[in-house]
C-alpha cells in the first residue's frame, strides 16, 4: 500500500476547497450585513467576549483534537477509544473551564453586555467539546465531504441571526448557541454506529491523550493568545469600537486562508504516514508546497492591496469601519507568511516536531505583546488608526516564524526549481496587477474577476506549478467536470 496517494489528496483538497468557498461566501454575507446593523462597537463587544472564551477554551483543549487527527490518520481503529475517552475527560474539566472564564471576565471588567455574551459562549462551548472530537475523527478518516459539511454548518449561525439583529450582539449570541446544539445532535446521529456514544472514563487513556496533545497544545493556546493580547492592547489604548474594526480585518483575512487550509487539511493524514515511510518524498513535498503557497499567496495579497478600498465600501458603505481598508492593505503583507506557516505546520506535525515549534511560538506571543504596546501609541500619533500598530506586530511575528520554521525542518526547500516557479509566479502576478489597475475605476467584480482570469491564464502558460503538477491538476479537474456532467 503506498504511503501517500496523490490522487486521494488532490480529490480531498478539491472537496475541502469547495466547502471552504461555500463557507467563504456565507462569511462574506455576514461580514457585510451584520456589521452594518450593529456597528463597530457591537462587533467589538462580540470580539472581546469571543477572545476571552477562546483563549481559556484553548488552554483546556490541551491540543488533543489535533492529536486525534494525526493518530486516527495513522490507524483508524483507534477512533472509538480515543473519541469516547476525550468526551469523558472534557466532562471532568468542564466546571473548571467555566469558572476560569468567568473569573477572567470579572478581572477585565468587561461590562454587563459582554459578560452575558461570554456566558452564552460558554454554553456553546459545551456543545463544541462533544462536536470537535467527532470532526477530528472524520478528518483522520480522510472523509473530506463530512468535514466540509460540518465546517459549512458552523458558518450558518451568523447568517441565521440576521432577522434578529434588532436585539444587537446578544441576539446573535443566542441564535449561535441554539444552532451549535443543532449541529451537535446532527453530528451524533452521523457518528452513531461508527463510534459508541457513551463516554469512556479511563484515567490511563486520559494520560495518553494529554501526553499526545501537549505538542499541539501550545500552538492552539498561542493562536488564541495572539487574539486575546490584541484585544487587550486595543481596549487599553482605544475602545471596543477599535476592537470591532480590527476584528473585522482578522475575520476577512481568515476567509482568504481557505486555500492553504483546504490543502493542509487534506494533506495531514497522508503526511503523517509519509514522514515515517519515505523521508525523501517528504522533503520533495515540502519544496512543492512552498512554491504552491507562494504561487497562491502572491495574487491573493495583490488583490487585497489593490481592491481594499472599493471592497470595504461594498461591504460597509460610506462612513463606517474607516480603519478597515487601511488595515487590509497592511494585512496583505502577511498573506504569504500565513500561507507558508499554515502549511509548514502540517509537516512539523507529521515529523513530530510541533513541540519545539510551539515553544518558539510562545516567544512570538511575548514579542507580539511588546511590539503592540510600543507600536500602537506610535500608530495613534502618526495616523488615525492605532490598530495598525497591533497588525504590524502580527506581521513581524509571522515573518520571524517563517524563518524559524525553515530552520526547524532542517531542509532548504528553496532550490533552483522552486526559485524558478516563484519567479514565474511573480511575472503572472505582475500581469494580473496590470489588469486590475487598468480597470480599477469599474465595479469591483470586474477588476477582481479579470485579475483572477489573467493570473490563471498567465500561470498556465508560464507553468507556475511545474509541468508535471500542472498536468495532474488539469486532469483531476477534467475528470471531475466529466463526472459532474454525467
Amino acid at each position: 500500500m503506498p504511503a501517500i496517494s496523490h490522487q486521494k489528496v488532490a480529490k480531498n483538497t478539491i472537496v475541502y476547497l469547495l466547502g471552504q468557498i461555500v463557507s467563504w461566501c456565507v462569511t462574506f454575507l455576514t461580514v457585510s450585513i451584520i456589521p452594518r446593523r450593529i456597528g463597530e462597537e457591537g462587533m467589538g463587544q462580540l470580539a472581546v467576549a469571543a477572545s476571552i472564551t477562546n483563549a481559556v477554551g484553548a488552554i483546556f483543549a490541551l491540543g488533543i483534537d489535533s492529536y486525534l487527527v494525526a493518530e486516527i490518520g495513522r490507524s483508524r481503529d483507534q477512533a472509538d477509544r480515543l473519541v469516547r475517552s476525550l468526551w469523558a475527560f472534557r466532562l471532568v474539566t468542564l466546571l473548571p473551564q467555566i469558572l476560569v472564564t468567568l473569573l477572567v471576565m470579572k478581572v477585565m471588567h468587561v461590562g454587563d453586555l459582554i459578560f452575558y455574551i461570554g456566558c452564552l459562549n460558554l454554553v456553546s462551548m459545551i456543545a463544541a467539546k462533544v462536536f470537535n472530537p467527532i470532526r477530528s475523527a472524520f478528518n483522520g478518516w480522510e472523509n473530506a465531504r463530512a468535514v466540509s459539511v460540518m465546517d459549512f454548518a458552523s458558518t450558518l449561525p451568523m447568517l441565521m441571526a440576521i432577522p434578529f439583529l434588532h436585539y444587537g450582539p446578544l441576539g446573535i449570541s443566542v441564535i449561535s448557541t441554539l444552532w451549535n446544539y443543532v449541529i451537535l445532535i446532527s453530528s451524533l446521529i452521523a457518528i452513531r454506529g461508527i463510534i459508541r456514544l457513551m463516554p469512556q472514563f479511563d484515567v490511563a487513556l486520559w494520560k495518553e491523550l494529554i501526553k499526545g496533545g501537549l505538542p499541539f497544545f501550545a500552538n492552539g493556546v498561542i493562536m488564541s493568545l495572539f487574539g486575546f493580547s490584541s484585544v487587550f492592547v486595543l481596549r487599553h489604548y482605544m475602545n471596543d469600537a477599535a476592537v470591532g474594526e480590527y476584528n473585522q480585518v482578522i475575520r476577512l483575512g481568515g476567509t482568504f486562508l481557505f486555500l492553504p487550509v483546504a490543502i493542509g487539511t487534506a494533506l495531514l493524514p497522508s503526511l503523517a504516514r509519509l514522514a515515517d515511510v519515505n523521508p525523501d518524498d517528504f522533503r520533495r513535498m515540502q519544496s512543492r508546497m512552498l512554491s504552491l503557497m507562494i504561487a497562491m499567496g502572491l495574487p491573493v495579497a495583490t488583490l487585497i492591496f489593490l481592491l481594499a478600498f472599493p471592497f470595504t465600501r461594498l461591504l460597509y458603505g460610506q462612513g463606517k469601519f474607516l480603519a478597515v481598508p487601511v488595515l487590509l492593505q497592511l494585512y496583505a503583507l502577511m498573506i504569504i507568511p500565513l500561507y507558508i506557516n499554515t502549511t509548514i505546520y502540517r509537516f512539523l506535525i507529521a515529523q513530530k516536531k510541533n513541540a519545539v515549534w510551539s515553544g518558539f511560538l510562545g516567544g512570538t506571543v511575548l514579542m507580539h505583546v511588546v511590539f503592540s504596546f510600543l507600536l500602537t501609541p506610535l500608530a495613534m500619533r502618526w495616523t488615525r488608526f492605532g490598530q495598525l500598530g497591533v497588525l504590524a506586530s502580527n506581521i513581524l511575528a509571522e515573518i520571524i516564524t517563517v524563518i524559524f520554521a525553515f530552520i526547524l525542518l532542517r531542509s532548504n526547500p528553496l532550490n533552483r526549481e522552486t526559485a524558478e516557479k516563484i519567479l514565474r509566479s511573480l511575472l503572472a502576478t505582475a500581469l494580473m496587477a496590470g489588469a486590475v489597475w487598468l480597470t480599477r475605476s469599474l465595479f469591483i467584480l470586474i477588476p477582481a474577476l479579470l485579475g483572477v482570469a489573467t493570473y490563471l491564464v498567465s500561470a498556465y502558460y508560464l507553468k507556475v506549478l511545474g509541468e508535471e503538477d500542472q498536468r495532474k491538476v488539469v486532469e483531476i479537474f477534467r475528470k471531475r467536470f466529466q463526472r459532474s456532467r454525467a
Side-chain angles (χ1 to χ4, degrees):
M1 179 178 178
I4 183 170
S5 169
H6 296 285
Q7 188 77 13
K8 186 171 186 177
V9 169
K11 178 183 176 181
N12 284 343
T13 298
I14 293 172
V15 174
Y16 285 129
L17 185 58
L18 292 174
Q20 288 283 329
I21 290 173
V22 174
S23 300
W24 187 57
C25 294
V26 173
T27 300
F28 270 123
L29 282 174
T30 57
V31 154
S32 173
I33 298 171
I34 292 176
R36 282 174 180 251
R37 291 287 302 275
I38 68 174
E40 294 91 335
E41 186 175 3
M43 295 305 298
Q45 291 165 337
L46 287 171
V48 172
S51 70
I52 295 171
T53 52
N54 290 344
V56 177
I59 293 172
F60 280 88
L62 294 173
I64 298 175
D65 293 298
S66 296
Y67 171 70
L68 254 62
V69 176
E71 288 305 302
I72 295 173
R74 287 188 172 94
S75 175
R76 300 188 176 195
D77 297 336
Q78 299 187 79
D80 183 78
R81 73 184 189 96
L82 291 177
V83 170
R84 293 173 59 223
S85 181
L86 181 53
W87 282 340
F89 177 73
R90 288 188 169 164
L91 183 62
V92 171
T93 59
L94 177 61
L95 181 59
Q97 181 176 342
I98 293 174
L99 294 176
V100 170
T101 305
L102 295 175
L103 178 62
V104 173
M105 288 194 290
K106 182 176 178 60
V107 170
M108 287 187 65
H109 305 289
V110 295
D112 290 342
L113 181 57
I114 295 177
F115 181 80
Y116 296 145
I117 295 171
C119 290
L120 284 168
N121 289 349
L122 284 175
V123 178
S124 293
M125 171 271 301
I126 297 172
K129 280 179 171 288
V130 181
F131 168 78
N132 288 338
I134 297 175
R135 184 188 181 281
S136 297
F138 279 117
N139 196 351
W141 289 329
E142 298 181 83
N143 190 331
R145 181 175 298 179
V147 175
S148 295
V149 170
M150 290 177 174
D151 290 345
F152 172 68
S154 299
T155 66
L156 292 178
M158 297 293 279
L159 192 64
M160 298 172 64
I162 290 175
F164 304 93
L165 291 180
H166 57 280
Y167 294 107
L170 195 60
I172 296 173
S173 298
V174 170
I175 297 301
S176 297
T177 301
L178 294 174
W179 180 249
N180 284 339
Y181 278 89
V182 173
I183 296 174
L184 172 61
I185 294 170
S186 303
S187 302
L188 290 172
I189 293 172
I191 206 77
R192 188 181 59 183
I194 306 174
I195 291 177
R196 288 169 288 174
L197 301 184
M198 182 64 65
Q200 180 178 338
F201 291 84
D202 186 336
V203 176
L205 197 49
W206 291 354
K207 292 179 181 178
E208 178 186 330
L209 290 173
I210 295 171
K211 182 180 178 181
L214 284 178
F216 304 91
F217 166 67
N219 190 70
V221 171
I222 286 160
M223 294 303 102
S224 298
L225 288 179
F226 264 103
F228 178 79
S229 61
S230 299
V231 167
F232 183 84
V233 171
L234 288 173
R235 291 191 89 223
H236 176 75
Y237 284 113
M238 303 177 75
N239 50 38
D240 287 340
V243 174
E245 290 182 306
Y246 177 82
N247 188 63
Q248 284 302 102
V249 174
I250 299 302
R251 287 191 66 199
L252 288 170
T255 63
F256 298 127
L257 295 178
F258 67 92
L259 290 168
V261 168
I263 293 172
T265 305
L267 267 178
L268 180 56
S270 297
L271 284 178
R273 296 191 297 270
L274 187 63
D276 297 332
V277 175
N278 197 328
D280 291 335
D281 278 355
F282 188 82
R283 284 190 291 270
R284 281 192 289 270
M285 184 66 74
Q286 290 174 18
S287 297
R288 293 166 72 179
M289 286 298 105
L290 173 65
S291 57
L292 179 61
M293 289 302 106
I294 294 176
M296 293 190 303
L298 278 170
V300 172
T302 303
L303 282 175
I304 293 172
F305 185 84
L306 292 176
L307 300 177
F309 279 88
F311 178 63
T312 305
R313 285 195 298 271
L314 178 68
L315 286 179
Y316 309 117
Q318 297 284 354
K320 293 184 178 180
F321 293 88
L322 299 178
V324 170
V326 180
L327 292 170
L328 273 177
Q329 287 189 319
L330 184 61
Y331 188 94
L333 301 178
M334 194 163 61
I335 287 293
I336 293 177
L338 277 173
Y339 273 34
I340 294 173
N341 287 331
T342 301
T343 306
I344 283 182
Y345 178 56
R346 266 68 178 189
F347 286 90
L348 294 171
I349 290 175
Q351 287 186 317
K352 299 183 179 180
K353 292 182 179 179
N354 42 312
V356 180
W357 169 260
S358 298
F360 166 76
L361 288 182
T364 64
V365 171
L366 295 177
M367 181 185 68
H368 168 67
V369 172
V370 172
F371 282 150
S372 294
F373 272 105
L374 292 175
L375 296 178
T376 301
L378 292 177
M380 294 172 65
R381 189 181 309 160
W382 295 341
T383 71
R384 292 186 298 163
F385 310 119
Q387 302 99 318
L388 289 169
V390 176
L391 190 56
S393 302
N394 261 334
I395 294 172
L396 288 172
E398 289 294 338
I399 292 173
I400 294 172
T401 300
V402 169
I403 296 171
F404 181 79
F406 287 152
I407 295 173
L408 190 58
L409 283 171
R410 293 184 180 179
S411 63
N412 181 17
L414 290 170
N415 51 38
R416 180 177 177 179
E417 181 183 359
T418 303
E420 289 176 354
K421 290 180 180 178
I422 293 172
L423 288 174
R424 290 195 289 267
S425 181
L426 283 168
L427 179 55
T429 302
L431 293 172
M432 181 198 76
V436 173
W437 181 257
L438 291 173
T439 57
R440 66 188 184 280
S441 60
L442 303 175
F443 181 64
I444 184 174
L445 283 179
I446 296 175
L449 294 175
L450 182 61
V452 171
T454 302
Y455 181 82
L456 291 175
V457 173
S458 302
Y460 178 81
Y461 285 104
L462 291 170
K463 294 181 173 56
V464 166
L465 296 181
E467 192 168 350
E468 181 183 354
D469 287 343
Q470 187 166 292
R471 179 178 53 79
K472 289 179 180 178
V473 170
V474 171
E475 182 66 17
I476 290 168
F477 275 98
R478 184 183 64 81
K479 288 181 179 179
R480 191 163 191 83
F481 178 71
Q482 288 176 343
R483 287 199 299 270
S484 298
R485 289 184 64 184

